[in-house]
Amino acid sequence: MLWIALVLSIITGGVCFSVKVRGPHYASVGSSVRLTCEHGVQQELLHKVDWLKGGIKFFQYIEGRKPPFKNFTINGATIDWDGSSEREVLLKDIGMAASGLYSCEVSTATPIYTKGSDFHELVVIQNQIEEPRISFGKPVYTVGDWVRANCTSGRATPTPHVTWLVNGKQAEPGVVKVHRTMGKIGRAELQLQLMPEHLPGVQLTCLATIPAYPTDKYADSRAYTISVDVVPMGRPRTEIQKSSSTMQCGILFLFTTILPFFNR
């Protein structure tokens, strides 16, 4: 590898630099995005910087030209000339068509040499406009019962990923079934058997995110949580409460109606 670098250095007259595009991977519709072409070329050696989307040139900077910028065309965005430079291009009023693979090419004048960056993917999203919705059977369950709950995300582009959390921790893959949808809505079903460790209740959270959970930062994230009461095996809590209420009514009837009769 050392001899390859040596040959390249001789061919390019000692010019050696790296090129990399930096910027956000996600952007919301209507927002602005700043892309930076990082390179180590000194200003006196720099000839031009070309910006490409999907391999097609859309913006160019040439050192010494007045004005130095040239805008070709780009769908889905407007280039902010005042916010752009020899190293950066500022895209504003982002639309869905601006999604794609971006790269930059840096050229030197002496010696003549051009080097391109790797592709940087930009995904334009339409945020969810509502919280996820959860549907399930009943609010009180007994140990051993199965909770079957469905979650539906809000509409968004791209389709949100739906993740189930049980008491704040991601549910095991085996208890979650993701449903494929034709539209822009994500759906997933939770099938969880309640165990003694779930007493006296469990919190179920539906998390709809772009990109998929888990990550340190989301372009879009919505969550909804429900609480489910869990009682020991036997009669459900609603029946226990009903029996207790019936017993209290019976005792009250005894003291107010029957006992006074015997005291006559």
Side-chain angles (χ1 to χ4, degrees):
M1 296 300 295
L2 181 61
W3 67 269
I4 294 178
L6 180 62
V7 171
L8 289 175
S9 178
I10 295 174
I11 292 175
T12 61
V15 175
C16 183
F17 57 89
S18 61
V19 183
K20 183 178 180 63
V21 174
R22 292 195 181 276
H25 287 286
Y26 293 90
S28 300
V29 170
S31 66
S32 296
V33 171
R34 186 179 299 276
L35 300 175
T36 301
C37 184
E38 293 188 350
H39 59 82
V41 179
Q42 299 178 5
Q43 194 66 32
E44 59 270 18
L45 297 178
L46 182 65
H47 172 51
K48 68 174 181 176
V49 177
D50 291 321
W51 281 95
L52 304 95
K53 176 178 179 287
I56 300 175
K57 189 183 302 183
F58 70 89
F59 188 67
Q60 182 185 68
Y61 168 88
I62 294 185
E63 179 70 22
R65 183 174 65 184
K66 295 183 180 181
F69 304 125
K70 183 178 180 181
N71 180 14
F72 292 82
T73 56
I74 181 171
N75 293 326
T78 301
I79 296 178
D80 187 327
W81 297 85
D82 295 331
S84 301
S85 67
E86 71 276 9
R87 289 180 179 270
E88 297 180 333
V89 60
L90 178 60
L91 306 177
K92 63 181 183 180
D93 299 328
I94 291 289
M96 300 301 297
S99 294
L101 300 177
Y102 289 80
S103 62
C104 65
E105 294 179 351
V106 178
S107 301
T108 57
T110 306
I112 299 174
Y113 180 63
T114 299
K115 185 173 184 178
S117 70
D118 292 334
F119 289 114
H120 174 86
E121 185 178 16
L122 175 66
V123 179
V124 180
I125 71 170
Q126 181 67 62
N127 292 354
Q128 302 172 75
I129 60 175
E130 58 185 7
E131 305 297 325
R133 301 189 307 275
I134 295 178
S135 59
F136 64 108
K138 53 187 179 180
V140 180
Y141 288 82
T142 303
V143 171
D145 286 350
W146 285 84
V147 175
R148 291 178 172 83
N150 286 284
C151 177
T152 302
S153 75
R155 187 178 299 273
T157 303
T159 302
H161 296 264
V162 176
T163 303
W164 278 101
L165 307 180
V166 179
N167 288 335
K169 296 182 179 180
Q170 185 175 5
E172 296 294 331
V175 302
V176 176
K177 181 179 180 181
V178 177
H179 296 283
R180 294 183 178 181
T181 60
M182 298 299 293
K184 302 176 181 180
I185 296 174
R187 289 192 180 95
E189 181 183 5
L190 176 71
Q191 296 184 0
L192 175 69
Q193 187 174 26
L194 296 171
M195 308 302 289
E197 56 264 28
H198 292 132
L199 291 168
V202 63
Q203 283 195 331
L204 305 179
T205 300
C206 172
L207 188 62
T209 62
I210 303 173
Y213 177 92
T215 183
D216 294 333
K217 187 176 181 180
Y218 296 102
D220 187 37
S221 176
R222 297 293 185 98
Y224 187 73
T225 300
I226 60 172
S227 296
V228 175
D229 290 335
V230 182
V231 298
M233 295 184 68
R235 289 176 298 176
R237 182 176 300 174
T238 52
E239 293 186 10
I240 294 174
Q241 293 173 345
K242 183 178 179 181
S243 298
S244 177
S245 176
T246 302
M247 183 178 297
Q248 292 174 2
C249 291
I251 295 174
L252 181 61
F253 177 79
L254 176 65
F255 277 95
T256 60
T257 305
I258 299 179
L259 288 181
F261 176 80
F262 287 103
N263 290 329
R264 292 179 179 176

